[in-house]
Amino acid sequence: MAESYVTESEVAHHEALQHHFENMEQQREAAALGMWVFLVTEIMFFGGMFLAYTLYRRVYPQSFAVASNHLNIWLGAVNTIILICSSFTMALAVYCTQVGKRQLQIIFLIVTMVFGAGFLGIKAVEYHEKYVDNLIPGRLIPSRPFNPAVNQEGAPHDEHKLTLIAGAAVKQVELFYWIYFAMTGMHALHMIIGLGIMSFLLYFSIRGHYGPEYHNPVEISGLYWHFVDIVWIFLFPLLYLLGRHMGGHG
Amino acid sequence: MSEHIVPVRIYFLIFLALMIGTVLTAWVAFFDFPGPLNAVIALTIACIKAALVILYFMHLRYSQRLTWVVFLSALFWLAIMFALTFSDYATRDWFPTF
């Protein structure tokens, strides 16, 4: 040390301790608190979309039931289970870092990334189904404007067509799909960013940067990952399940 | 090190509870409950699941009080946003009433 005023006890500090913190404990709590503040802004960000959803579901309940019932409940349910599994493995990755099990820490990070990628893969399959059925709203895809076929009374049932119930209208179904793509799209974007963060964590985990003494990045990335899971915990029942009892399946 | 380390057993129990909640919410969605009860049940299960993730996976239960204040402020502002918006919409005559 070039500076003569650095005492011996300060030199003994953990190398990851930044100079503006008293000790590792304070640094850890500050990092977690900062992440929570960011998550508050995220809650308000998604909250605006949940507000729009609540409002229009209240105004057009029949059309929202029709649109909701057209979503693939099995893919939605499997994705919910995948995300919960990924949150579980993320929690275990944080745990393994805290207790110094480096091999397991790396394995759980990889498993979490595999679950995350699996979720996005299934989401892509769902989006493609909607694309095939002309359910992408407005003219987001210029060659395929929103133009779903509707099952007619007496004709054989086609699961690619909407089944309208009394009080439902195709124009209002389109509103549901705007909200559906906005919410699941923003959620998917958060998943993609999450995978980027995971890659970063994995790289530094393999290089041995994180252990019982210092693991703030693992801990706060975990907070972010769990938050994205929570958003889906609300999206699944609201988008896929509500209205299942009202008929109009297909 | 004063950091609280949540035992694996707790993580596993929370994971099981979340799985059961997911199956339960998908199953009850097909029953026709009176009035807005379907939505109430779905949201109650979702809130319980979210609370479990926040308290245990995100360690809020073991966090300092300041973290609690920050988290609760999110719910507070969310409540303001919904309350003020619906105090407008819900009092317009074209808006459906229960």
Side-chain angles (χ1 to χ4, degrees):
Chain A
M1 288 288 155
E3 297 90 342
S4 57
Y5 53 79
V6 174
T7 65
E8 203 174 327
S9 68
E10 281 174 80
V11 172
H13 278 166
H14 193 281
E15 59 176 6
L17 180 64
Q18 291 168 309
H19 67 88
H20 47 284
F21 290 113
E22 289 282 329
N23 51 49
M24 296 301 277
E25 172 74 7
Q26 189 196 38
Q27 177 171 292
R28 195 179 58 74
E29 288 192 340
L33 188 66
M35 194 63 196
W36 276 102
V37 171
F38 170 67
L39 292 183
V40 170
T41 72
E42 286 277 76
I43 289 171
M44 295 310 291
F45 171 73
F46 278 98
M49 288 187 281
F50 278 106
L51 179 69
Y53 165 88
T54 311
L55 189 59
Y56 285 110
R57 163 141 236 143
R58 185 77 199 98
V59 181
Y60 307 122
Q62 296 91 354
S63 297
F64 269 51
V66 166
S68 175
N69 290 340
H70 193 72
L71 295 178
N72 190 325
I73 188 172
W74 288 107
L75 293 184
V78 168
N79 255 354
T80 309
I81 288 168
I82 286 178
L83 262 199
I84 290 173
C85 289
S86 83
S87 251
F88 180 51
T89 55
M90 186 67 220
L92 291 179
V94 173
Y95 171 83
C96 290
T97 315
Q98 287 172 327
V99 298
K101 292 180 177 162
R102 247 193 73 210
Q103 294 294 325
L104 279 174
Q105 169 205 339
I106 291 166
I107 289 169
F108 279 126
L109 281 178
I110 293 171
V111 173
T112 306
M113 289 178 76
V114 169
F115 280 133
F119 175 93
L120 286 171
I122 290 178
K123 204 72 228 158
V125 170
E126 282 193 84
Y127 278 8
H128 183 256
E129 281 183 358
K130 301 297 162 279
Y131 168 78
V132 169
D133 295 352
N134 293 322
L135 282 166
I136 313 283
R139 290 185 173 273
L140 283 180
I141 297 177
S143 61
R144 286 217 176 211
F146 185 83
N147 185 29
V150 177
N151 277 314
Q152 302 298 330
E153 199 117 3
H157 182 83
D158 182 351
E159 62 171 12
H160 288 286
K161 296 178 178 176
L162 291 177
T163 306
L164 296 183
I165 58 175
V170 172
K171 203 67 191 161
Q172 297 161 8
V173 170
E174 186 175 8
L175 186 58
F176 175 93
Y177 278 99
W178 276 115
I179 294 173
Y180 166 81
F181 278 102
M183 297 187 89
T184 59
M186 282 317 302
H187 179 266
L189 179 64
H190 278 76
M191 292 290 298
I192 291 167
I193 293 169
L195 283 178
I197 295 171
M198 290 292 155
S199 314
F200 173 91
L201 282 186
L202 189 61
Y203 174 75
F204 285 104
S205 291
I206 290 169
R207 298 189 63 174
H209 278 232
Y210 310 127
E213 291 286 313
Y214 173 71
H215 48 259
N216 296 348
V218 185
E219 165 91 25
I220 66 173
S221 304
L223 291 180
Y224 174 85
W225 193 267
H226 297 311
F227 166 78
V228 177
D229 182 29
I230 289 171
V231 172
W232 188 261
I233 283 176
F234 283 98
L235 285 182
F236 174 57
L238 292 180
L239 294 176
Y240 291 78
L241 297 180
L242 286 187
R244 286 283 155 187
H245 65 284
M246 290 171 73
H249 294 259
Chain B
M1 205 173 61
S2 61
E3 179 183 18
H4 184 93
I5 295 178
V6 182
V8 172
R9 187 175 49 87
I10 300 272
Y11 284 134
F12 188 69
L13 287 175
I14 300 301
F15 170 70
L16 275 186
L18 292 173
M19 283 298 178
I20 292 167
T22 303
V23 173
L24 192 66
T25 192
W27 180 55
V28 298
F30 289 90
F31 293 89
D32 193 357
F33 295 106
L37 218 56
N38 278 77
V40 171
I41 292 170
L43 281 174
T44 305
I45 295 174
C47 286
I48 293 171
K49 286 167 72 184
L52 289 176
V53 173
I54 290 167
L55 286 174
Y56 294 96
F57 282 3
M58 297 171 82
H59 303 155
L60 185 65
R61 194 183 155 184
Y62 313 98
S63 295
Q64 50 176 340
R65 282 204 196 131
L66 190 54
T67 311
W68 277 88
V69 173
V70 168
F71 168 67
L72 291 177
S73 74
L75 300 187
F76 179 66
W77 273 302
L78 209 55
I80 291 176
M81 184 164 72
F82 272 77
L84 291 189
T85 306
F86 277 95
S87 70
D88 180 347
Y89 278 100
T91 49
R92 296 180 184 216
D93 57 0
W94 53 264
F95 199 79
T97 49
F98 283 106

